Amino acid sequence: MSNLLLLEDDISLIDGLHYSLKKNGFYVDIARTVEEAEKQLAQIEKYDLLILDVTLPDGTGFVAVRTVMPDVTAEMLDWWFMWHGLEGLRYKIWCPGEHYDARVRPEDLPRRLDTTLSLRERNWGTTDLVTENVGGGPTNIFISFQSPQQYGYDMSRFSAPNVLTAISANAGMSDVWEPNITFSHCARPHAGGGIELRSRFWQGWNVVDGVPIRVGSKGGFPVEVMRDCACHCAAEYSNLAAILPTLYAENHGIVDTAESLAAGK
């Protein structure tokens, strides 16, 4: 069971978050004030995950989750994001019960399969079309990936030990192609081995040419949206930490082609 620290000052939300996280197999410590959080963070290595759930005054939202992935490397993470969108089953095993299907947008498939590019480059500028449940039932979502430079990172600082790799994207409802969120998962070296994944979600924002722009409902988002995002992120990345080393060992040497994917091989 993973140890999780929940930083939440809204008492009305704590019970629901605590219940949802325990149901997903986490042991949860709760900090309700800054003072409590400072005491808990003095033992930060005790925790596999940190969750900060914030709804901002302008109606947008912010979620931060930290996942320790002891046996995962940055190359594995880059491979995973290149690989899993090529076949629905790969997406399902990532988070069973909450991930249903995924496919690369057809016009982006040639780039995803281009072995002359690095693993991370094959993902940049492509879009996955997925169906998943982030709390409100099965939802069709588009996820459009960007390079770190396009996303606005300071590339003069984009190197170890600051960061090993980053998976960044704009996303939204694919049925109406409505953008409503942006996220970035930054992998850093972890003192105990493997990587530490720092996930950040900004609800109500996208990043275009390195500049954040306001998108989605101007009336704001229910706090439950951010709560569900935090819980889903914690569940999917803790599971990925467990399954990715074996999946990578067994599959990274296999070259997918358009023909093999069409034949289901």
Side-chain angles (χ1 to χ4, degrees):
M1 180 178 290
S2 297
N3 293 317
L4 183 150
L5 176 61
L6 171 64
L7 311 180
E8 178 57 71
D9 63 350
D10 189 336
I11 296 174
S12 66
L13 296 177
I14 290 173
D15 287 346
L17 282 165
H18 191 214
Y19 172 81
S20 297
L21 292 165
K22 285 188 67 177
K23 185 179 178 182
N24 279 281
F26 296 99
Y27 178 83
V28 183
D29 284 340
I30 299 170
R32 296 175 176 84
T33 67
V34 172
E35 291 76 16
E36 289 180 7
E38 288 176 344
K39 290 178 181 177
Q40 300 282 21
L41 290 173
Q43 310 172 65
I44 191 170
E45 296 304 323
K46 165 184 174 183
Y47 297 105
D48 302 299
L49 299 168
L50 300 179
I51 292 184
L52 170 65
D53 184 6
V54 177
T55 301
L56 303 176
D58 64 355
T60 63
F62 173 67
V63 165
V65 179
R66 172 180 176 268
T67 310
V68 174
M69 309 177 87
D71 300 311
V72 173
T73 65
E75 182 176 353
M76 290 181 191
L77 198 65
D78 287 330
W79 171 82
W80 173 254
F81 276 91
M82 178 281 298
W83 183 79
H84 78 260
L86 296 173
E87 186 180 29
L89 180 60
R90 303 175 186 181
Y91 195 63
K92 290 180 182 179
I93 62 174
W94 180 1
C95 194
E98 295 184 7
H99 286 185
Y100 305 108
D101 193 20
R103 65 189 187 282
V104 181
R105 191 168 58 175
E107 56 265 42
D108 295 333
L109 184 59
R111 181 177 181 89
R112 194 69 69 85
L113 296 176
D114 187 353
T115 57
T116 67
L117 301 174
S118 68
L119 291 172
R120 61 186 63 177
E121 289 173 329
R122 289 162 70 175
N123 207 41
W124 299 344
T126 67
T127 295
D128 280 352
L129 305 173
V130 309
T131 303
E132 65 179 310
N133 180 3
V134 188
T139 305
N140 295 323
I141 298 171
F142 71 85
I143 304 173
S144 296
F145 298 99
Q146 299 185 21
S147 69
Q149 184 171 9
Q150 185 183 11
Y151 201 71
Y153 279 101
D154 180 352
M155 299 309 293
S156 68
R157 302 177 62 192
F158 198 88
S159 59
N162 297 319
V163 63
L164 299 173
T165 192
I167 309 297
S168 307
N170 293 325
M173 307 302 178
S174 60
D175 291 338
V176 292
W177 213 263
E178 177 184 347
N180 59 22
I181 196 168
T182 191
F183 65 79
S184 190
H185 305 294
C186 290
R188 295 164 54 92
H190 183 249
I195 63 173
E196 168 189 306
L197 195 66
R198 296 188 178 187
S199 301
R200 303 292 185 265
F201 298 83
W202 293 269
Q203 186 82 33
W205 295 92
N206 268 191
V207 175
V208 179
D209 295 327
V211 178
I213 61 169
R214 184 74 165 84
V215 297
S217 171
K218 300 304 181 184
F221 301 87
V223 69
E224 290 80 10
V225 171
M226 310 315 299
R227 177 200 67 193
D228 293 341
C229 178
C231 291
H232 180 73
C233 181
E236 64 180 350
Y237 281 99
S238 60
N239 190 55
L240 186 62
I243 67 173
L244 183 52
T246 299
L247 284 171
Y248 178 79
E250 294 177 349
N251 294 281
H252 81 278
I254 300 172
V255 178
D256 287 309
T257 64
E259 292 73 22
S260 66
L261 292 170
K265 297 180 180 179

